[in-house]
Amino acid sequence: MNAPDPAFGSRVRESFARQAVMATIGAQLERVDAGRVDIRLPFRDDLTQQHGYFHAGVIATIADSACGYAALSLMPAGADVLSIEFKINMLSPATGDAIVARGEVIRAGRKVMVCRADVHSVTGAKEKLVAAMQGTMMVVSKGE
Amino acid sequence: MNAPDPAFGSRVRESFARQAVMATIGAQLERVDAGRVDIRLPFRDDLTQQHGYFHAGVIATIADSACGYAALSLMPAGADVLSIEFKINMLSPATGDAIVARGEVIRAGRKVMVCRADVHSVTGAKEKLVAAMQGTMMVVSKGE
Amino acid sequence: MNAPDPAFGSRVRESFARQAVMATIGAQLERVDAGRVDIRLPFRDDLTQQHGYFHAGVIATIADSACGYAALSLMPAGADVLSIEFKINMLSPATGDAIVARGEVIRAGRKVMVCRADVHSVTGAKEKLVAAMQGTMMVVSKGE
Amino acid sequence: MNAPDPAFGSRVRESFARQAVMATIGAQLERVDAGRVDIRLPFRDDLTQQHGYFHAGVIATIADSACGYAALSLMPAGADVLSIEFKINMLSPATGDAIVARGEVIRAGRKVMVCRADVHSVTGAKEKLVAAMQGTMMVVSKGE
């Protein structure tokens, strides 16, 4: 996909650094390409639900940011991104060394972008699909 | 709604206490009625996105648990709850003193329960609807 | 809710009359209030899935229009509505004499409106909740 | 993916033939592979919304069946499929000669299957992505 702002990478990294919750849970921004962003979250016991797996909301937190930043990477300079909504399916218990959310834009509109994210658990060299998101991001233009 | 297990309240409270992420973010279980559960989350700077509002994923975290425990309250003794999926719309910036997610079962099936949660921000005595969830919870029977 | 265009009722009725699929399936516009629209669909064998119930997509068709027109009723004169997305849960087999989708705006933004619709089956004087939708509608301003 | 019932193809085709709404709107079952099913819908003026595009609910109708039959193809003999829920984003106006929904199972569980469908419009040799669905299907075992 084509990014209208060549500086999209630094713009995404700066915005990610301002999302305080990312540091709180220990999420790391990995790949930042035009229309594709990956976020990794190492396993931590204090982010779990009652069975010791990652809580669905924690999974949604990194998947939503992966979608949002995939969308932001395709927006013009000065624009910002807001989540309108998302839907996420939990496919398997999310455990292992870490989970990685891979967000991708499937439709880059002028006002609205639609994204999907697949979330995999990573245990050693093994990956397993644990969640799937589809969501809608709003382009917030400068001055709005 | 009718709870088949009269001890549903203690069952919900015990499970909530085992969701480590709830303590991590500071979420508190409030109302626990048959088919209705409220969870409150006081505002904290370290749970925010890039504009200083609660991150959508954090809102989803308490809304998902409110839905899940509303569902669990209507399940037979020995059953457990798993989130199959949820969808959430962000309606307004989530800020203020706290947010409260109010989960409610709209269909209590034997195998699957469907819930909605409304999330309000609370500022002093004023409330504002900031997010709305609809999700699907699975009844996990003892021994499964 | 407050409709900025006092002629919202005729605007909704005219647009509904142009949705050719509504006549094809036999759907009828009932209540048209500011922010609330009901659509009724009498049962027909040729709208069913493999068990003889209304197909989920047919239920979604009237629920989406009920949401869309609830949203349109709150838009300024000259604006039009487009569905961005919706999510629908099937709660019970949809059968009976008819189904009625009741759409309602839960957040009326300037650019985006968020709606819910409950769909009930009607058998004689008895109603049963058979589906629940939550969706997002875009305000398309004149000239866009 | 691996189909436990080698006769899945005829089972899907028989069930599709019993979905009366498919004949009503003119939908055709195309590809039926293990975990992947395509449904085509030629354009018809009587299936449109107010701007002359396919109504979102009509798009959802074929996408839901494509998802449901992709799921059914992976179920054991004697099982049936029910839609629990789905979410669909409208990405572009759906017009052209026809639309094709391509459903695919992304998680085949014993009780629940999760699917995605992409819907493309087809105009001559040109295809365009017009909608994207993610949904949850229930495995209904024989005798349940």
Side-chain angles (χ1 to χ4, degrees):
Chain A
M1 300 195 111
N2 206 26
D5 175 14
F8 70 86
S10 56
R11 204 147 47 88
V12 165
R13 290 180 192 284
E14 282 160 24
S15 182
F16 182 89
R18 287 198 306 273
Q19 287 207 332
V21 72
M22 292 296 139
T24 303
I25 63 174
Q28 302 150 3
L29 186 59
E30 295 200 324
R31 168 180 175 176
V32 181
D33 287 343
R36 298 193 71 122
V37 166
D38 297 357
I39 296 176
R40 171 180 296 262
L41 180 64
F43 185 80
R44 270 181 22 193
D45 279 331
D46 65 346
L47 301 176
T48 57
Q49 39 80 289
Q50 72 274 21
H51 307 106
Y53 309 132
F54 275 115
H55 191 282
V58 173
I59 301 169
T61 300
I62 65 162
D64 173 53
S65 281
C67 283
Y69 287 126
L72 184 62
S73 74
L74 298 184
M75 295 183 191
D80 205 347
V81 59
L82 275 180
S83 297
I84 295 177
E85 62 83 38
F86 58 78
K87 178 255 205 292
I88 185 165
N89 276 82
M90 305 301 143
L91 306 177
S92 283
T95 183
D97 304 330
I99 51 174
V100 181
R102 298 186 174 99
E104 174 180 22
V105 176
I106 60 170
R107 164 72 179 154
R110 198 169 45 87
K111 295 191 283 184
V112 160
M113 297 203 181
V114 181
C115 302
R116 280 178 174 159
D118 285 345
V119 184
H120 287 81
S121 66
V122 185
T123 311
K126 216 180 108 191
E127 290 213 352
K128 184 176 185 180
L129 185 66
V130 297
M133 176 178 281
Q134 185 172 307
T136 313
M137 303 289 147
M138 179 173 281
V139 183
V140 183
S141 300
K142 218 173 174 165
E144 277 188 312
Chain B
M1 300 194 112
N2 206 28
D5 175 13
F8 71 85
S10 57
R11 205 148 45 90
V12 165
R13 290 180 191 283
E14 283 160 23
S15 181
F16 182 89
R18 287 198 307 271
Q19 287 206 331
V21 72
M22 292 297 139
T24 303
I25 62 174
Q28 302 149 4
L29 188 58
E30 295 200 322
R31 168 180 176 176
V32 182
D33 287 343
R36 299 194 69 123
V37 166
D38 296 356
I39 295 176
R40 171 181 295 262
L41 180 63
F43 185 81
R44 272 183 18 195
D45 279 331
D46 64 347
L47 301 176
T48 57
Q49 37 81 288
Q50 72 274 21
H51 307 105
Y53 309 132
F54 275 115
H55 191 281
V58 173
I59 301 170
T61 300
I62 65 163
D64 173 55
S65 280
C67 283
Y69 287 126
L72 184 63
S73 74
L74 298 184
M75 295 183 191
D80 205 347
V81 60
L82 275 180
S83 297
I84 295 176
E85 62 83 37
F86 58 77
K87 178 256 205 294
I88 186 166
N89 276 81
M90 305 301 144
L91 306 176
S92 282
T95 184
D97 305 330
I99 52 174
V100 181
R102 299 187 174 98
E104 174 181 20
V105 177
I106 60 170
R107 164 72 179 153
R110 198 169 46 86
K111 296 192 283 185
V112 160
M113 297 204 180
V114 180
C115 302
R116 279 179 174 158
D118 285 344
V119 184
H120 287 82
S121 67
V122 184
T123 311
K126 218 180 106 190
E127 291 212 352
K128 184 176 185 180
L129 184 66
V130 296
M133 176 178 280
Q134 186 171 308
T136 314
M137 303 288 146
M138 179 173 281
V139 183
V140 184
S141 299
K142 219 175 174 163
E144 277 190 311
Chain C
M1 299 194 113
N2 206 27
D5 175 15
F8 71 86
S10 56
R11 205 147 47 88
V12 165
R13 290 179 191 284
E14 282 160 24
S15 182
F16 182 89
R18 286 197 307 272
Q19 287 206 332
V21 72
M22 292 297 139
T24 303
I25 62 175
Q28 301 150 3
L29 187 58
E30 294 200 321
R31 168 181 175 175
V32 181
D33 286 343
R36 299 193 70 123
V37 165
D38 297 356
I39 296 175
R40 170 180 296 262
L41 180 63
F43 184 80
R44 271 183 18 195
D45 279 331
D46 65 347
L47 301 176
T48 58
Q49 37 82 288
Q50 72 273 22
H51 307 105
Y53 310 132
F54 275 115
H55 191 281
V58 173
I59 301 170
T61 300
I62 65 163
D64 173 54
S65 281
C67 282
Y69 287 126
L72 183 63
S73 75
L74 297 184
M75 295 183 191
D80 205 347
V81 61
L82 275 180
S83 296
I84 295 178
E85 61 83 38
F86 58 78
K87 178 254 204 293
I88 185 166
N89 276 82
M90 305 300 144
L91 306 177
S92 283
T95 183
D97 304 329
I99 52 173
V100 181
R102 299 187 173 96
E104 173 181 22
V105 176
I106 61 170
R107 164 73 179 154
R110 198 169 45 87
K111 295 193 282 185
V112 161
M113 297 203 181
V114 180
C115 302
R116 279 179 173 157
D118 286 344
V119 184
H120 288 80
S121 67
V122 185
T123 311
K126 217 180 107 191
E127 291 213 351
K128 185 176 185 179
L129 185 65
V130 296
M133 176 178 281
Q134 185 172 307
T136 313
M137 303 288 147
M138 180 174 280
V139 183
V140 183
S141 299
K142 219 175 174 162
E144 277 190 309
Chain D
M1 300 194 112
N2 206 28
D5 176 14
F8 71 85
S10 57
R11 205 147 47 89
V12 165
R13 290 179 191 284
E14 282 160 25
S15 182
F16 182 89
R18 287 198 306 274
Q19 287 206 333
V21 72
M22 292 297 139
T24 303
I25 63 175
Q28 302 150 4
L29 187 58
E30 296 201 321
R31 166 180 178 175
V32 181
D33 287 342
R36 298 193 70 122
V37 166
D38 297 355
I39 296 175
R40 171 180 295 262
L41 180 63
F43 185 81
R44 272 182 19 195
D45 279 332
D46 64 347
L47 301 175
T48 58
Q49 37 81 288
Q50 72 275 21
H51 307 106
Y53 309 132
F54 275 115
H55 191 281
V58 173
I59 301 169
T61 299
I62 63 163
D64 172 55
S65 280
C67 283
Y69 287 126
L72 183 63
S73 74
L74 298 183
M75 295 183 192
D80 205 347
V81 60
L82 275 180
S83 296
I84 294 177
E85 62 84 37
F86 59 77
K87 177 255 205 294
I88 186 166
N89 275 83
M90 305 302 144
L91 306 176
S92 282
T95 183
D97 304 330
I99 52 174
V100 181
R102 299 186 174 98
E104 173 181 21
V105 176
I106 60 169
R107 163 74 179 154
R110 197 169 47 86
K111 295 192 284 186
V112 160
M113 297 203 181
V114 180
C115 303
R116 279 178 174 159
D118 285 344
V119 184
H120 287 82
S121 67
V122 185
T123 311
K126 217 180 108 190
E127 290 212 352
K128 186 176 184 180
L129 184 66
V130 297
M133 177 178 281
Q134 185 172 306
T136 312
M137 303 287 147
M138 179 173 281
V139 183
V140 183
S141 299
K142 220 174 174 163
E144 276 189 313

